[in-house]
Amino acid sequence: MIKERKSASSNTRPIIKIAIGGIAVGVAVMILSFAILTGFQNEIRQKVVGFGSHIQISSFDNAQGVDIHPISKNQDFYPAADSFRQVENIQVYATKPGILKTDDEILGIVFKGVGEDFNWKFFERNIEKGKTPRFGQNRKDSILVSQHIADKMKLDVGDKIFVYFIRNEKPRPRRFFVSGIYKTGMGKFDELILLGDIKHVQSINGWDSTQVGGFEINLKDYESLQQTNDEVYNAIPYSLNATNIQEKYPDIFGWLELQDMNVVIIVILIILVSSINMTSALLIMILERTGMIGILKAMGSRNWSIRKIFLYNAMYLISVGVFWGNLIGIGIALLQEQLRFITLPEETYYISYVPINLDISHILLLNFGTVALCTIMLIIPSMVITRISPVRAIKFD
C-alpha cells in the first residue's frame, strides 16, 4: 500500500513524511537526552568521588570539620582491599586547614595529606602541567595544586611556596614545591584542595606514624555504594563512622537526581507527540482508502483483517522513523564524544563540554518503548474501519 503509484498517494505522501520525520527527530532527541544525562551524571560523580572517594571512615568526633581527630590505622580492614566484596582499594588521609602565601598573594586552603596507597588515577586524568607527586618512606615536599590556585597565586610547576598551618595558636610554616597542576572544573574543590604527603599533617599535629585522619574506600562499581556502605558500617569499630559520598555532598547528588525527572518529562512528551503524528497519518490513510475498504468488506473481509493491513503499514512507517532516529541520534552522540564541539560554561556545569554516555540498554529500551507505545496508540484510530459501510464506501468512491 505504501508503494502505490504516486497519483494514488499524493495526498498522504506529505503527511507520511512528516510523521516519519517526527518519529525520527523524537527518537534522536531521546537517545541524545539519555546519553547526555547519564554522561553528565557519570562525569560529575567521578569528579566528586575523585576528591572524596566512595566511602570515608573517620572518627565520630570529626563530624563536619576539616581539622580532624586522629584514629589508628591499625585496623582489621586495612590495608587489605578484599575485606569487602566491591572494594577496589583503601587509602589513608588526613586534612589540615592552612594559608598559602607567596610574596604577593595569600589564600586559605585545605591541605589533604595522602600516603603511598593513594589512588592517583583521577588526578592523573585531570593533570594540566607537571605530574602527580609520589611519596616514599621519607617525607616529600612536593604538592599538587589546582589550576585555580595556581592562577590566583601565580604559580607554575617547580615553584617554591610556603603554607602556614596553625597549632596551639602558633603558625607552623612549611615549604613546598609544586609538582603538578590539576584542573577538574569543580570549583567547590579546585578552590580549596591542595594535595601533599600525609606525614606533614602528622608532624604538624604531633601525631605518630600510625595515626591518620581516616580511611577512604574506592569501589569497583558505583551501583554497590549503599550496600557496601552498610557492610563497612557494620564491620568497623563502634568508635568509627562510615559516610558515603552521597551523604557527604547531598546538594550535588540531589541536583543530579533532579536531572532524571527532566529527561522523563522530555521522553513522555516526545512519545506523545510521535503517537499523535502517527495517529493523524493513519486516519488520513484510512479516509483516503475508504473505497478500497468498502470493496474488501463487500468481498467478505473481516474488520480485524482490514485493520491489520493498516496497522502493519503504520508499524512499517514507525520502524523507518526509528531507524533514522537511531542513525541521527547515535551519529551526533559519537561526533560529540570524539570532537566535543558542543561546549558548556564550566563555572556553572562543572564541565567544559557536553559529556556523552551511550548505553546500549537505554537505546534498546527507547526503541522498544517507542514502537510499542506508538503501535498501541494506533489501535484506537484503526477502529474507524469498523464504522465504514461497504455500500456507502463504494458509492462514495
Side-chain angles (χ1 to χ4, degrees), residues 39 47 83 127 175 249 316 338 374:
K47 290 186 177 186
S83 302
I127 202 80
R175 187 184 68 174
Y249 301 107
Y316 169 77
Q338 296 298 320
C374 287

Side-chain angles (χ1 to χ4, degrees), residues 16 20 46 72 81 86 164 174 182 194 208 219 230 237 241 285 303 322 330 341 358 367 369 374 376 383 389:
I16 290 174
I20 293 175
Q46 287 175 9
S72 174
Q86 291 296 330
Y164 291 82
R174 286 289 189 277
Y182 71 88
L194 182 153
D208 61 43
L219 304 182
D230 294 339
N241 185 34
M285 289 166 62
N303 284 325
V322 169
I330 295 174
F341 57 92
L358 281 173
N367 285 316
C374 287
I376 291 171
M383 293 177 67
S389 169

